Amino acid sequence: MAGESDLATLLKSMHPLLRDGDYVYALWAHGKPLEGNIEAAVREAEGLTVVLRREEADRLGLSYDFVAAWITLQIHSALEAVGLTAAVSSALTAAGISCNVLAGFHHDHLLVPSAGRRRAMEVLELLGRGVVLRTERQPDREEVLALTASAFSISPVTGLPVDGVPPEVNLLRELFECEEYLPELSIVAEIGGEIVGHVISTRGWVGDLELLGLGPLSVQPHLQRRGIGSALLRETARRAEDAGEPGIALLGSTEFYPRFGFLPARTLGVTAPDPAWGDHFQLLPLKTWPDGVSGTFRYASPFRAA
Ligand SMILES: CC(C)(COP(=O)(O)OP(=O)(O)OC[C@H]1O[C@@H](n2cnc3c(N)ncnc32)[C@H](O)[C@@H]1OP(=O)(O)O)[C@@H](O)C(=O)NCCC(=O)NCCS
């Protein structure tokens, strides 16, 4: 059967499947006949590399460093199909996940670091819908500001159209330039090279404790309610966790944010900059959230001037 070769179709129907367990790469002793359950082998001038389940490598006494999760793209791709592995590995790279690709006759297989398996599956699921998340870059800014203007053209507070440029646009412009800007926490969602979503978190504080303040968060209106905002929030939480940040504060809907683990900030000892915000001022405590926090949250300077 001829395999699929159109990239958009391949991405839409790649159906990634995560195999159980861990896999490793090991070197096979020169001249020794192959034995055991080897999943893949590559012969090189320097020797034979085998890929096998971790337990099997242990049973055979093979040593290894890289412990991987194995994801099979279930689409039957033509071996000569152009772009699938490039699209997959660049989306994973943008998410900070390294990826080794093995092509079988029928399918492509990805070996990603074992600890990143769930994240890799999410990245592939988004890619299947054409969405790639990546860190914002300086040349993106005008496009991101235009997106923010269109997302906030209806006020999320009043539900009414906003006259002129929404205040979130100038706030974001200043956040890009302020001292509290954190490049890795300004993240865009792209479809086909067009920016359709953006989220930014900047440095904030409670007393001396450094936290993050999230916002604005924008998704292009005609693409809302398709999971893009949720993906940007989850990516922010992951990057913040990886960076050892203790928590993320924001002002927003009490229906939308609690599903990501946000709690009323007051329940964690953190008071809103404006008491009128009540339970709309929320906080996501991360792994390093310390006990006994008490104080008022201070946003990056552009928020305070807004
Ligand atoms: C808020 C926003 C970023 C959400 O992005 P999105 O891509 O539409 O969200 P998702 O598709 O990931 O999530 C959709 C879910 O969140 C809910 N949701 C989205 N925005 C919501 C809001 N403002 N209030 C309550 N629920 C909301 C939807 O009902 C949906 O729930 P369901 O899956 O149970 O049906 C987007 O709607 C947006 O840009 N809005 C305008 C700007 C804005 O309000 N920014 C946030 C300021 S706090």
Coordinates of all heavy atoms in Angstrom, one line a residue, residues 86-99 119-120 123 126-127 131-137 183-184 186-190 235 238-239 242:
A86 N 10.5 16.7 10.0 CA 11.0 18.0 10.2 C 10.0 18.8 11.1 O 10.3 19.5 12.0 CB 11.3 18.8 8.9
A87 N 8.7 18.7 10.7 CA 7.6 19.4 11.4 C 7.5 18.9 12.8 O 7.4 19.7 13.8 CB 6.3 19.2 10.7
V88 N 7.6 17.6 13.0 CA 7.5 17.0 14.3 C 8.7 17.4 15.2 O 8.5 17.8 16.3 CB 7.4 15.4 14.2 CG1 7.6 14.8 15.5 CG2 6.0 15.1 13.6
S89 N 9.9 17.2 14.6 CA 11.0 17.5 15.5 C 11.1 19.0 15.8 O 11.5 19.4 16.9 CB 12.3 16.9 15.0 OG 12.6 17.3 13.8
S90 N 10.7 19.9 14.8 CA 10.8 21.3 15.2 C 9.8 21.7 16.2 O 10.1 22.5 17.1 CB 10.8 22.2 13.9 OG 9.6 22.3 13.4
A91 N 8.6 21.1 16.2 CA 7.6 21.4 17.2 C 8.1 20.9 18.6 O 7.9 21.6 19.6 CB 6.2 20.8 16.9
L92 N 8.7 19.8 18.6 CA 9.2 19.2 19.9 C 10.4 20.1 20.4 O 10.5 20.4 21.6 CB 9.6 17.8 19.7 CG 8.4 16.8 19.6 CD1 8.9 15.4 19.1 CD2 7.6 16.7 20.8
T93 N 11.2 20.5 19.4 CA 12.4 21.3 19.8 C 11.9 22.6 20.4 O 12.4 23.1 21.4 CB 13.3 21.6 18.6 OG1 13.7 20.3 18.1 CG2 14.5 22.4 19.0
A94 N 10.8 23.2 19.8 CA 10.3 24.5 20.3 C 9.8 24.3 21.7 O 9.8 25.3 22.5 CB 9.2 25.0 19.4
A95 N 9.4 23.1 22.0 CA 8.9 22.8 23.4 C 10.0 22.4 24.3 O 9.8 21.9 25.4 CB 7.8 21.8 23.4
G96 N 11.3 22.4 23.8 CA 12.4 22.0 24.6 C 12.5 20.5 24.8 O 13.1 20.0 25.8
I97 N 12.0 19.7 23.9 CA 12.0 18.3 24.0 C 12.9 17.7 22.8 O 12.6 17.9 21.6 CB 10.6 17.7 23.8 CG1 9.7 18.2 24.9 CG2 10.7 16.1 23.9 CD1 8.2 17.9 24.7
S98 N 14.0 17.0 23.2 CA 14.8 16.5 22.1 C 14.1 15.2 21.6 O 13.3 14.6 22.3 CB 16.2 16.1 22.7 OG 16.1 15.1 23.7
C99 N 14.4 14.8 20.4 CA 13.7 13.8 19.7 C 14.6 13.0 18.7 O 15.2 13.7 17.9 CB 12.5 14.4 19.0 SG 11.8 13.6 17.7
R119 N 4.3 15.6 27.9 CA 4.4 16.9 27.2 C 4.6 16.7 25.7 O 4.0 17.4 24.9 CB 5.6 17.6 27.8 CG 5.8 19.0 27.4 CD 6.9 19.6 28.2 NE 7.1 21.0 27.9 CZ 8.0 21.7 28.4 NH1 8.8 21.2 29.3 NH2 8.1 23.0 28.1
A120 N 5.4 15.7 25.3 CA 5.6 15.4 23.9 C 4.2 15.0 23.2 O 3.9 15.4 22.1 CB 6.6 14.3 23.7
V123 N 2.3 18.1 22.7 CA 2.8 18.9 21.5 C 2.3 18.3 20.2 O 1.9 19.0 19.3 CB 4.3 19.0 21.6 CG1 4.9 19.5 20.3 CG2 4.8 19.8 22.8
L126 N -1.4 18.9 19.5 CA -1.6 20.3 19.0 C -1.1 20.4 17.6 O -1.8 21.0 16.8 CB -0.8 21.3 19.9 CG -1.4 21.8 21.2 CD1 -0.3 22.7 21.9 CD2 -2.6 22.6 20.9
L127 N 0.0 19.8 17.3 CA 0.6 19.9 15.9 C -0.4 19.2 14.9 O -0.6 19.7 13.8 CB 2.0 19.2 15.9 CG 2.7 19.2 14.6 CD1 3.0 20.6 14.2 CD2 3.9 18.3 14.6
V131 N -1.2 23.5 15.3 CA -0.8 24.5 16.3 C 0.6 24.2 16.8 O 0.9 23.1 17.2 CB -1.8 24.6 17.5 CG1 -1.3 25.7 18.4 CG2 -3.2 24.8 17.0
V132 N 1.5 25.2 16.8 CA 2.8 25.1 17.3 C 3.0 26.2 18.4 O 2.7 27.3 18.1 CB 3.9 25.2 16.2 CG1 5.3 25.2 16.8 CG2 3.8 24.1 15.2
L133 N 3.5 25.8 19.5 CA 3.8 26.8 20.6 C 5.3 27.0 20.5 O 6.1 26.1 20.4 CB 3.5 26.3 22.0 CG 2.0 25.9 22.2 CD1 1.9 25.6 23.7 CD2 1.1 26.9 21.8
R134 N 5.7 28.3 20.7 CA 7.2 28.6 20.7 C 7.3 29.9 21.5 O 6.4 30.7 21.7 CB 7.8 28.7 19.3 CG 7.2 29.8 18.5 CD 8.1 30.1 17.3 NE 7.5 31.1 16.4 CZ 7.5 32.4 16.6 NH1 8.2 32.9 17.6 NH2 6.9 33.2 15.7
T135 N 8.6 30.2 21.9 CA 8.9 31.4 22.6 C 8.8 32.6 21.6 O 9.2 32.5 20.4 CB 10.4 31.3 23.1 OG1 10.5 30.2 23.9 CG2 10.8 32.5 23.9
E136 N 8.2 33.7 22.1 CA 8.0 34.9 21.3 C 9.4 35.5 21.0 O 10.3 35.4 21.8 CB 7.2 35.9 22.2 CG 7.1 37.3 21.7 CD 8.1 38.2 22.4 OE1 8.2 38.2 23.6 OE2 8.7 39.0 21.7
R137 N 9.5 36.1 19.8 CA 10.8 36.8 19.4 C 10.5 38.2 19.1 O 9.4 38.5 18.7 CB 11.4 36.1 18.2 CG 11.7 34.6 18.4 CD 12.5 34.0 17.2 NE 11.5 33.7 16.1 CZ 11.2 32.5 15.7 NH1 11.6 31.4 16.4 NH2 10.3 32.3 14.7
P183 N 12.0 36.6 28.9 CA 11.8 36.1 27.5 C 11.2 34.7 27.4 O 10.3 34.6 26.5 CB 13.3 36.1 26.9 CG 14.1 36.9 27.9 CD 13.4 37.0 29.2
E184 N 11.6 33.8 28.2 CA 11.1 32.4 28.0 C 9.6 32.3 28.4 O 9.0 31.3 28.2 CB 11.9 31.5 28.9 CG 13.3 31.2 28.4 CD 13.3 30.5 27.1 OE1 12.5 29.6 26.9 OE2 14.0 31.0 26.2
S186 N 7.2 34.5 27.5 CA 6.4 35.1 26.5 C 6.3 34.1 25.4 O 7.2 33.8 24.7 CB 7.0 36.5 26.0 OG 6.2 37.1 25.1
I187 N 5.1 33.5 25.2 CA 4.9 32.4 24.4 C 3.8 32.6 23.3 O 2.8 33.1 23.7 CB 4.5 31.1 25.2 CG1 5.5 30.9 26.4 CG2 4.4 29.9 24.4 CD1 5.0 30.0 27.4
V188 N 4.1 32.3 22.1 CA 3.1 32.4 21.0 C 2.6 31.0 20.6 O 3.3 30.0 20.7 CB 3.6 33.2 19.8 CG1 4.0 34.6 20.2 CG2 4.8 32.5 19.1
A189 N 1.4 31.0 20.1 CA 0.8 29.9 19.4 C 0.7 30.3 17.9 O 0.2 31.4 17.6 CB -0.6 29.5 19.9
E190 N 1.2 29.4 17.0 CA 1.2 29.7 15.6 C 0.4 28.6 14.9 O 0.5 27.5 15.2 CB 2.6 29.5 15.1 CG 3.5 30.8 15.0 CD 4.8 30.5 14.3 OE1 5.2 29.3 14.1 OE2 5.4 31.4 14.0
E235 N 1.6 25.4 29.0 CA 3.0 25.6 28.6 C 3.7 26.6 29.6 O 4.8 26.4 30.0 CB 3.1 26.1 27.2 CG 4.5 26.3 26.7 CD 5.3 25.0 26.5 OE1 4.8 23.9 26.7 OE2 6.5 25.1 26.4
R238 N 4.3 24.8 32.9 CA 5.5 23.9 32.8 C 6.8 24.6 32.8 O 7.7 24.2 33.5 CB 5.4 23.1 31.5 CG 4.6 21.9 31.6 CD 4.8 21.0 30.4 NE 3.5 20.4 30.0 CZ 2.8 20.9 29.0 NH1 3.2 21.9 28.3 NH2 1.7 20.3 28.8
R239 N 6.9 25.7 32.0 CA 8.1 26.4 31.9 C 8.4 27.0 33.2 O 9.6 27.1 33.7 CB 8.0 27.5 30.8 CG 8.0 27.0 29.4 CD 8.1 28.1 28.4 NE 8.0 27.5 27.0 CZ 8.4 28.2 26.0 NH1 8.9 29.4 26.1 NH2 8.3 27.6 24.8
D242 N 9.7 24.3 35.5 CA 11.1 23.9 35.1 C 12.1 25.0 35.6 O 13.2 24.6 35.9 CB 11.2 23.8 33.6 CG 10.5 22.5 33.1 OD1 10.0 21.7 34.0 OD2 10.3 22.4 31.9

